[in-house]
Amino acid sequence: MLALLAAAPQSVVAQQSPLEQLLQGQGKAKPVRSWEGFDEWTTSVAFSADGETLAVGTYENIALLDPSADDVRQTIGLKVGFVQAVAYARTGSLLAAGGYQTSALLETADAPPRLLKGQRGYVTGVAVSPDGKRLA
C-alpha cells in the first residue's frame, strides 16, 4: 500500500511549517489517500511540478497516479530492477528514473523510454537540471 500523508499541526512553533513539525516529531501525520494493489514494494515517489501526477517506482515499473483520485493513469515497464529513484523536470515534460545499472529518461508524452546504461550497481538518486537539459 502507498499512502499520501498530510502534516496536521498541533500548535504553531516559531513559524515552522506543518512538514517541519512532522519531521521534528512535533506534529501528527494522517493519511490523505492510499492506493492498494501494488505487486511489489514502492521504492520511489515524485510529484510533477504542477502536482497533477504522482510517479511511483516499483519493481521494473513506474506507475503514474492521479493524486486526487484512486486512479492509476499509466504503468510504464522499464525492466531495470527496482526503480530506486524518480524525478520530474520542472516543465513536467520529462521524467527521469534510476534502476539497476541503468538510468531512464521518459518523455511524458507517451514516447518509449530512453535507457542510459553503464552505471555500476543501482542508481539510487536522479535529478533533472532546472532547464531540463541535464540529468544527474
Side-chain angles (χ1 to χ4, degrees):
M1 177 177 74
L2 172 68
L4 184 61
L5 301 176
Q10 289 179 321
S11 61
V12 178
V13 179
Q15 300 181 2
Q16 287 183 318
S17 72
L19 179 58
E20 289 172 320
Q21 292 176 21
L22 177 65
L23 293 175
Q24 293 179 2
Q26 298 168 349
K28 292 185 179 179
K30 62 179 181 173
V32 174
R33 177 162 310 283
S34 61
W35 292 267
E36 300 279 343
F38 288 99
D39 293 334
E40 298 289 341
W41 294 345
T42 297
T43 51
S44 54
V45 293
F47 276 105
S48 60
D50 63 7
E52 297 293 319
T53 305
L54 179 63
V56 179
T58 64
Y59 183 71
E60 299 199 340
N61 291 301
I62 296 175
L64 302 179
L65 307 176
D66 180 345
S68 64
D70 296 330
D71 202 26
V72 176
R73 293 181 182 156
Q74 182 180 6
T75 301
I76 303 164
L78 290 181
K79 307 297 182 206
V80 295
F82 282 104
V83 178
Q84 295 282 339
V86 288
Y88 275 98
R90 281 188 183 173
T91 61
S93 62
L94 184 70
L95 176 63
Y100 185 67
Q101 297 184 342
T102 306
S103 294
L105 293 173
L106 301 101
E107 302 288 333
T108 53
D110 295 329
R114 292 182 289 167
L115 300 179
L116 308 170
K117 296 187 178 220
Q119 294 89 351
R120 294 179 60 168
Y122 269 100
V123 176
T124 58
V126 292
V128 181
S129 65
D131 62 7
K133 293 181 180 180
R134 291 182 290 267
L135 173 67

